[in-house]
Amino acid sequence: MSLPALPDDWLELATAPGTRSQYSAGLKQFVTAGFTLPASPSQLKRYLGLKGARLSVSTLRSHISAIKAWHRRQGFVDPVNDEVRQAFKALGRLQKGTDKKKAATLSRAQIDTLLRSCEKDGLLGLRDGVMISLGLAAAMRRSELANLRFEDVERTEAGLAIRIRFSKTDQQGLGKVLVLPKLPAPLDPGPWLQKWREQSALCSGLLLRRVNRHGAVMGEGMTTHGLNHALQKRALALGLEGVSCHSLRRSFATLAVRNGVSLVDVAAVGRWQSLESLKEYVDATPKEAIAKAFS
């Protein structure tokens, strides 16, 4: 019995699709800034000095990891030496104590306003309605939204079943099925999905697609950057600033906790591996907590 041949790029499967996309963006920024590949340690230090005031240490670490991976794949010497690592430490100390820029958390009223704006905006609005309602109800990361397929969404007696094939916290691709109950309009993803499926005439492949300026659905799926841009554009048109796909996940966590859902249950829905990391997503309101404690 002969076994099927492995695909030519099978080694790339060791890296998550989201990470590969992130690495590609990091390499592009490095080259666009005027640096070359293969790179030297001095180039990396200059890049860190150039970008250190504008990008977070974690973002820069992702860029340098991308450069390391590129050198390893191409058979070149790793340019990250002790001096580059010291430069990272220096940046970490400089940025310590500075406020991290977080995506805006949306109130229930703002979420309703966002979704209502989608209702009379043709196919573009339907697609955005799917993105926003699913991103909120299932606390989805933008990489999860970008990779979601029509085949991953199924109506069942228990509710709307969403299969998340791969995520940041599921690097082995074991997958997880999340069943969403029926939610009040306009939050419920079910009607948005049904209208999107009917009016786009799509039934397979990537769920979220590009829609051109003429209102026609394009064949290719949306990138994580494209999803962010679409949501930011819609939010800014309504006067909502600082909104990104990350806002959907933060808003779910914050609204759930404020409504009495335990951190353990919130973590289970949003696939957070630790409660400490989840706490970073919850927009705390000490005034409300104090009032509630003595109510």
Side-chain angles (χ1 to χ4, degrees):
M1 178 177 118
S2 60
L3 294 173
L6 290 170
D8 293 338
D9 61 349
W10 68 277
L11 282 172
E12 291 186 8
L13 297 177
T15 309
T19 302
R20 293 200 294 272
S21 176
Q22 197 175 52
Y23 278 8
S24 178
L27 287 172
K28 185 176 180 180
Q29 283 215 36
F30 183 74
V31 174
T32 303
F35 298 93
T36 58
L37 293 169
S40 65
S42 61
Q43 278 187 305
L44 297 192
K45 286 193 296 180
R46 290 205 307 275
Y47 180 71
L48 292 174
L50 178 69
K51 299 285 189 177
R54 285 177 288 174
L55 299 177
S56 68
V57 170
S58 60
T59 298
L60 288 170
R61 197 176 298 282
S62 170
H63 291 185
I64 299 303
S65 293
I67 294 166
K68 278 175 64 79
W70 184 90
H71 281 74
R72 184 172 62 250
R73 291 284 302 276
Q74 300 298 323
F76 291 108
V77 175
D78 182 358
V80 179
N81 61 10
D82 286 341
E83 291 184 358
V84 175
R85 284 186 278 272
Q86 286 299 319
F88 264 122
K89 286 184 179 179
L91 279 177
R93 291 193 184 98
L94 285 171
Q95 292 188 11
K96 191 174 182 179
T98 59
D99 290 335
K100 291 182 180 179
K101 189 176 180 181
K102 294 181 178 179
T105 301
L106 298 166
S107 67
R108 174 62 191 276
Q110 289 172 328
I111 292 166
D112 282 359
T113 300
L114 256 181
L115 286 167
R116 294 296 181 196
S117 76
C118 299
E119 291 178 339
K120 297 180 180 179
D121 197 15
L123 281 169
L124 189 67
L126 289 177
R127 183 207 63 197
D128 288 356
V130 171
M131 170 181 67
I132 295 167
S133 62
L134 273 178
L136 275 164
M140 296 184 77
R141 300 175 177 88
R142 60 178 180 167
S143 60
E144 294 168 350
L145 282 167
N147 289 315
L148 199 64
R149 304 176 69 83
F150 277 95
E151 297 87 346
D152 297 331
V153 183
E154 182 185 1
R155 283 187 177 278
T156 68
E157 289 185 5
L160 190 68
I162 310 293
R163 182 187 177 199
I164 300 171
R165 295 171 182 255
F166 206 98
S167 71
K168 181 180 178 181
T169 53
D170 178 18
Q171 295 291 303
Q172 301 302 315
L174 299 176
K176 177 168 183 174
V177 175
L178 198 64
V179 179
L180 306 181
K182 186 170 180 57
L183 299 173
L187 292 173
D188 192 1
W192 290 107
L193 282 160
Q194 184 176 345
K195 291 176 184 176
W196 170 242
R197 188 189 294 267
E198 290 172 354
Q199 297 189 32
S200 68
L202 297 169
C203 60
S204 62
L206 291 171
L207 181 66
L208 298 172
R209 310 287 183 94
R210 285 184 57 217
V211 177
N212 67 19
R213 59 193 178 93
H214 303 294
V217 179
M218 309 298 285
E220 62 266 33
M222 296 183 73
T223 63
T224 54
H225 176 75
L227 291 172
N228 248 357
H229 178 73
L231 182 54
Q232 287 167 351
K233 184 178 179 180
R234 186 168 294 278
L236 286 172
L238 296 170
L240 301 174
E241 297 185 354
V243 176
S244 69
C245 286
H246 210 53
S247 296
L248 305 178
R249 200 162 153 78
R250 275 179 59 79
S251 299
F252 170 84
T254 298
L255 291 172
V257 169
R258 287 183 186 174
N259 285 319
V261 182
S262 72
L263 285 175
V264 172
D265 286 341
V266 174
V269 173
R271 302 160 305 284
W272 279 280
Q273 284 190 321
S274 76
L275 297 185
E276 285 304 312
S277 62
L278 169 56
K279 288 175 185 177
E280 292 292 321
Y281 284 75
V282 179
D283 194 1
T285 52
K287 183 179 176 182
E288 287 184 15
I290 293 169
K292 205 170 186 179
F294 294 98
S295 62

